[in-house]
Amino acid sequence: MKILVPIKRVVDYNVKVRPKADESGVDLNNVKMAINPFCEIAVEEAVRLKEAGVAEEITAITVGESSAQEQLRTALALGADKAILIETEYEPQPLGISKALKSIVERDNPDLILMGKQAIDGDNNQTGQMLAALLGYPQATFASELKISDGKAEVTREVDGGLQTISINLPAIVTSDLRLNEPRYASLPNIMKAKQKPLESLNAEELGIDLNPRISTVKVSPPPEREAGIIVESIDELVDKLKNEAKVIT
Amino acid sequence: MTALVISEHDNSELKGATLNTISAALQLDEEIHVLVAGSNCNTVAESAAKANGVSKVLYVDSPEYENFLAENISLLIKNLSGDYSSILAPATTNGKNYMPRVAAFLDVAQISDISSVESNDTFQRPIYAGNCIATVTSSDDVKVITVRTTAFDPVPSDSGSAEIVKLEEINDAGISQFIKDELAESDRPELTSADVIISGGRGMQNGENFNLLEGIADKLGAAIGASRAAVDSGFVPNDYQVGQTGKIVAPNLYIAVGISGAIQHLAGMKDSKVIVAINKDEDAPIFQVADYGLVADLFTALPEMESKI
């Protein structure tokens, strides 16, 4: 079985992101970049499937600027066998990314596409579902458990009321939630080895993929601030404030 | 111009999130149609017809929609999409699951998780876990939107009288099968619609200590939530999680107990009307968003609070 793992380069999750002073966008000067945490979980799951003998080959792929090679190397260090970069000058949006991924799926025919449920920059939570629609594949989003057998994937999904288990025919798209696994750390020898693994570079425009943005950002502003509250000294004072000042309990 | 709102329900009850979504749709379009797709869900269609501002309920009743599998529901919505200028669903796990499929079928972008409608093509939405608010404009003819329900007041659901139109639309993609649901059974209100929520974090130390929250929740009619740290530590199931990757809530009163206040958690609850924080670490970031903070050991504070409310 071949697995394709689309990943994204994003601001590291430990960075507190702020809008630029002129509100024209997010201030990304000198911030640390990393592989999106949900994508890292997807890579880990693919590697575990390979270790379990279910998968033979893992390809990591990203759509973006050439600096995203760093994150592809991270995926290779974690255990992916090869990588594909689809380069574009646009800041790609989910629909365009899905179209680019579709062209590679049709070329390479992976049996399973494992990816993060959302990227922590745009918080869109769209690309996996869009790719599934464009390919006519089934999808299992928010996966917390994945079992492969007999040409099907049985997936437990984290839904609003608890858990849901579905079975989907392969080829399919599975998007990872937080509790699917805990990703490993790449070892130094594996980081060194990753530098020798093949990385194919393609150009989105040459592939004829429409990455034109459909959504434009007018401005990016800070969220409304909450007014500072007070520290109460005791439960008695707290209960009194809730009853008589905030009037939220009786 | 007409908007199509996709209802959230469990085949017997219309979920409140639908009413918030109708409220957002009314800021976009004059006429609102609501789709009720499910199996044996005629009571849901009747409830939807009573929601204010709705002129027509499209009612589709067929077994393949019973479990809201994205493959089937998205085909149905695509087939119905013809005359609508906007299609909206609540940003629940269902809405997040099927709506991007619909958008891709229609070759349009989706605008996820909108928190405000600025005009008929411009919206606000949180990005970077709520650390920034983006104002975005969509150039697509049809707007496919998921709605952050806590940002919109629900429309009343008692005086509408929409026409119910039953449609025979069978769309079984045949590529996915439902196996089972393991849904939490609880007498408490649902997190996303509760007036009062009391949540525990890592400071609770284990699952058993969540019992300390129960007595207070009983007295206040509250739902019980948790931080990601508490869920990841296995104290409580995932559906308790409040935060950017869990549930987004905005109750009248939110009580955070033993929760430090990671950005991830704040993004899911900082629109609550009144926030109370109980934590023994006076430097915990949760105190920066709390209206009332109490620096105390939760194991003494909670029993005392239970006895005094």
Side-chain angles (χ1 to χ4, degrees), chain A residues 139 141 160 165 218 226 232 245, chain B residues 97 135 180 247 272 292-293:
Chain A
Q139 69 188 43
T141 50
D160 285 335
T165 306
V218 181
R226 280 188 81 92
V232 295
E245 191 175 89
Chain B
N97 191 33
T135 304
K180 65 176 174 184
K247 294 198 173 75
S272 305
Y292 304 107

Side-chain angles (χ1 to χ4, degrees), chain A residues 141-184:
Chain A
T141 50
F142 321 131
S144 63
E145 200 184 345
L146 168 64
K147 291 182 214 151
I148 307 282
S149 64
D150 302 331
K152 291 188 179 196
E154 188 175 309
V155 184
T156 304
R157 309 175 53 233
E158 297 199 358
V159 296
D160 285 335
L163 298 172
Q164 180 188 67
T165 306
I166 61 172
S167 169
I168 51 177
N169 299 359
L170 297 180
I173 280 124
V174 174
T175 75
S176 58
D177 215 318
L178 279 173
R179 283 168 281 272
L180 183 60
N181 60 51
E182 269 188 49
R184 70 195 65 193

Side-chain angles (χ1 to χ4, degrees), chain B residues 188 198 210-219 224 240 306:
Chain B
R188 299 192 188 284
I198 183 163
F210 268 73
N211 292 336
L212 294 168
L213 305 180
E214 304 253 344
I216 297 172
D218 286 342
K219 284 194 163 174
I224 295 182
Y240 279 51
E306 185 183 339

Side-chain angles (χ1 to χ4, degrees), chain A residues 223-236:
Chain A
E225 291 274 335
R226 280 188 81 92
E227 281 182 35
I230 58 162
I231 294 288
V232 295
E233 296 302 325
S234 66
I235 287 286
D236 285 319

Side-chain angles (χ1 to χ4, degrees), chain B residues 9 13 22 65 76 79 95 123 154 165 234 258 288:
Chain B
H9 63 87
E13 210 173 86
I22 293 169
Y65 306 125
L76 171 65
N79 291 349
F123 310 89
V165 180
Q288 288 163 24

